[in-house]
Amino acid sequence: MNGDDPREDPRRRRVPPTSGRPGGPAVPPQGRPVPPQGRAMPPDPRYGRPPGHDRRQNPEDGPTVRYNPAPRRGASHVEPTQVLHRGNSGDQPLAYSQMPHERVEPRRQQPPRREQPVPRRDQVRHAPTQRPVPHHDGLPPRRTPPPPGGRQAQPPKRRRRRHPFRWFMVIVVLLIAGLIAAVVHLDNSLTRITALPSYSDRVSNTPGTNWLLVGSDGRGDLSTEQEQELATGGDTGPERTDTIMMVHIPSSGPTTMVSLPRDSYVSIPGHGKDKLNASFALGGAPLLVQTVEVATGVRIDHYAQIGFGGFASVVDAIGGIEMCLDEPIVDPLAGLDLAAGCQKLSGPQALGFVRTRATPTADVDRMNRQRMFMAALLKKATGAGTLANPFALWPMATGVAGSLKVDDGDHIWNLAALGWAMRGDTVTTSVPIGGFDDTDVGNVLLWDKAKASGFFEALATDQQIPEELLTR
């Protein structure tokens, strides 16, 4: 090319630079085929390789391998041309294709490594993740310095959940427990005696519930000052009863309250005929109950007795009883001086009101006043104003429980059932009266035997008393 043949002038032959220091053997570029010995390829005068080597393929030379020369240096640097001579002689230079090649010793084949079986991905087991555990060496905790403001910031308090239903149930349970404790206390406050007798030929059980209420003139629990305040008249001998009432609670219908006059002339078992209250003086509550059962044919189921002091305390506990009088009543023996009209009676006044006989018909008027007063007392005691006010209910309940004497088998809830049964309309009457008579035991009250028989027959069979037999 360009009229120059490199074989004509060996001194102008270009030799590629050595890979090492100057003067060392030349190393052909990597990836370029090494021509066989003895065959020269004319180099390209521009790049120092056979012409068309990078664009054409010589079938005799094998496949074409592109050679990427190193970046050429600038024009300011020119490497000296090295000339190789055959057999280290300086007479004839060697072509590029005739350059001696370094003998490469073959690598020693190492014994094949024993391949380790690669574990499957599903068989790879990893150790569980370990969480760091803080080490406590017993040293006191480091105190965090307070914030710049001076007040140490506190962690937010956890808001407690409110349980209104739980508190409601706690209150209900406490109320029930308190009510049970109060009932037990009141029941233990009752004075129990053996009142219901057990004798041969006793009246069989009759339907309904029958109470015998007794107001005695006992003064054993009163002091001298209390006797003067209540005008009891001092000790009058054996304990007697001023008030005797039978209360019949039917299975259905209104309750009936019957007054039994204390001067009723009846037969007392083992003592002949005498006044009714004499049986109480002779044999106490059991003989009184037996006398009433024999005279009426009605079996008594419950017994309650109250004295002077207990009666007055119960009236004062509920704040007095309002009564309306048609005529004034004055009785110095009972300590009573009441004007006509409506007025509130205190405990001592109420006691004198149910005991006095300073009226035209004496015992008959007294029985009417006793029934009227008892109805007013029970109405107020069982009213909503008293039951809903613990400051009025509790003193009344403790006063009643502390002043009553009941039978061995009676309890405070039996008394509550009695008061509840008499809270509404109650039929109040007395035994049909036949007249008065003087006997060897004094002036007595006689029953109308014909009317009294039908009167008590209706109570014994749990029926309403006929209107013509009632005494208003």
Side-chain angles (χ1 to χ4, degrees):
M1 301 179 72
N2 296 333
D4 296 330
D5 190 356
R7 289 178 296 180
E8 296 178 0
D9 191 359
R11 292 176 295 179
R12 302 181 61 181
R13 179 79 172 269
R14 291 180 178 269
V15 180
T18 59
S19 60
R21 56 188 178 181
V27 179
Q30 294 182 0
R32 184 175 181 178
V34 180
Q37 296 290 337
R39 184 178 179 182
M41 293 181 64
D44 192 338
R46 292 175 298 176
Y47 305 104
R49 62 178 180 271
H53 185 75
D54 56 344
R55 290 181 180 91
R56 298 178 182 86
Q57 179 178 0
N58 191 350
E60 298 178 2
D61 296 339
T64 302
V65 179
R66 294 185 180 274
Y67 170 67
N68 294 328
R72 295 192 300 177
R73 297 182 179 180
S76 61
H77 176 75
V78 178
E79 291 184 359
T81 303
Q82 297 181 4
V83 180
L84 299 179
H85 297 273
R86 188 184 304 271
N88 290 333
S89 61
D91 54 355
Q92 187 178 359
L94 295 178
Y96 178 77
S97 59
Q98 297 176 352
M99 291 187 305
H101 299 281
E102 294 180 357
R103 186 177 180 181
V104 180
E105 295 181 1
R107 295 183 179 180
R108 296 180 182 180
Q109 295 184 356
Q110 297 180 357
R113 295 183 180 180
R114 185 175 297 177
E115 296 183 356
Q116 299 293 334
V118 180
R120 295 175 58 183
R121 181 168 299 180
D122 55 353
Q123 295 180 354
V124 177
R125 296 183 179 179
H126 302 280
T129 305
Q130 298 183 358
R131 297 183 178 180
V133 179
H135 174 69
H136 300 282
D137 53 0
L139 297 177
R142 299 179 60 184
R143 295 184 178 180
T144 305
R151 185 176 181 181
Q152 186 175 2
Q154 297 181 356
K157 295 183 179 180
R158 187 177 180 181
R159 190 174 183 180
R160 296 183 179 179
R161 297 179 60 186
R162 297 182 179 180
H163 303 277
F165 181 74
R166 182 183 301 176
W167 285 109
F168 174 76
M169 292 302 299
V170 170
I171 294 174
V172 171
V173 171
L174 291 178
L175 289 177
I176 294 176
L179 180 61
I180 294 175
V183 170
V184 173
H185 173 73
L186 294 175
D187 189 64
N188 293 332
S189 300
L190 294 172
T191 302
R192 291 180 170 84
I193 61 175
T194 302
L196 301 182
S198 178
Y199 57 93
S200 60
D201 300 332
R202 187 182 180 188
V203 180
S204 60
N205 289 330
T206 55
T209 303
N210 300 301
W211 280 81
L212 188 64
L213 306 181
V214 176
S216 69
D217 59 357
R219 302 168 177 83
D221 56 346
L222 298 178
S223 62
T224 305
E225 292 77 8
Q226 290 176 331
E227 290 182 359
Q228 294 177 357
E229 181 183 2
L230 299 177
T232 59
D235 192 4
T236 58
E239 185 178 6
R240 295 178 178 267
T241 174
D242 288 338
T243 304
I244 304 173
M245 291 184 181
M246 178 187 293
V247 179
H248 175 74
I249 304 175
S251 301
S252 62
T255 302
T256 302
M257 183 168 57
V258 181
S259 294
L260 303 178
R262 69 169 190 171
D263 292 337
S264 299
Y265 195 59
V266 294
S267 296
I268 300 176
H271 298 277
K273 300 196 71 171
D274 203 335
K275 294 181 180 181
L276 181 59
N277 66 343
S279 61
F280 187 81
L282 295 173
L287 185 58
L288 174 62
V289 172
Q290 183 178 359
T291 301
V292 171
E293 289 181 346
V294 171
T296 62
V298 178
R299 186 184 180 99
I300 303 300
D301 302 310
H302 301 281
Y303 177 88
Q305 173 184 330
I306 190 170
F308 284 167
F311 184 87
S313 64
V314 170
V315 175
D316 289 334
I318 61 176
I321 302 297
E322 186 174 356
M323 301 298 299
C324 295
L325 307 179
D326 297 333
E327 297 178 355
I329 301 177
V330 179
D331 186 0
L333 296 178
L336 194 63
D337 186 3
L338 301 177
C342 296
Q343 52 197 302
K344 182 177 288 187
L345 304 182
S346 63
Q349 290 175 333
L351 180 61
F353 179 77
V354 298
R355 291 181 58 232
T356 183
R357 291 186 292 178
T359 54
T361 56
D363 285 342
V364 176
D365 290 340
R366 183 168 69 172
M367 289 187 299
N368 292 335
R369 289 192 298 270
Q370 289 173 353
R371 293 194 304 269
M372 182 173 60
F373 180 83
M374 184 64 66
L377 176 64
L378 292 174
K379 182 178 180 180
K380 185 172 183 179
T382 58
T386 303
L387 297 178
N389 184 7
F391 298 100
L393 178 62
W394 183 250
M396 182 197 69
T398 54
V400 171
S403 59
L404 284 180
K405 293 180 180 180
V406 297
D407 183 65
D408 294 335
D410 294 333
H411 298 278
I412 192 68
W413 45 88
N414 300 125
L415 293 171
L418 172 64
W420 189 257
M422 298 181 65
R423 74 189 188 281
D425 296 335
T426 302
V427 178
T428 59
T429 183
S430 65
V431 178
I433 298 174
F436 297 90
D437 192 10
D438 292 329
T439 63
D440 54 350
V441 295
N443 187 270
V444 296
L445 185 146
L446 302 177
W447 293 359
D448 188 335
K449 293 184 179 181
K451 292 184 179 181
S453 178
F455 182 93
F456 290 112
E457 181 67 21
L459 294 178
T461 56
D462 198 22
Q463 297 178 1
Q464 294 297 320
I465 300 175
E467 187 67 25
E468 62 273 12
L469 300 180
L470 297 177
T471 302
R472 301 295 184 180

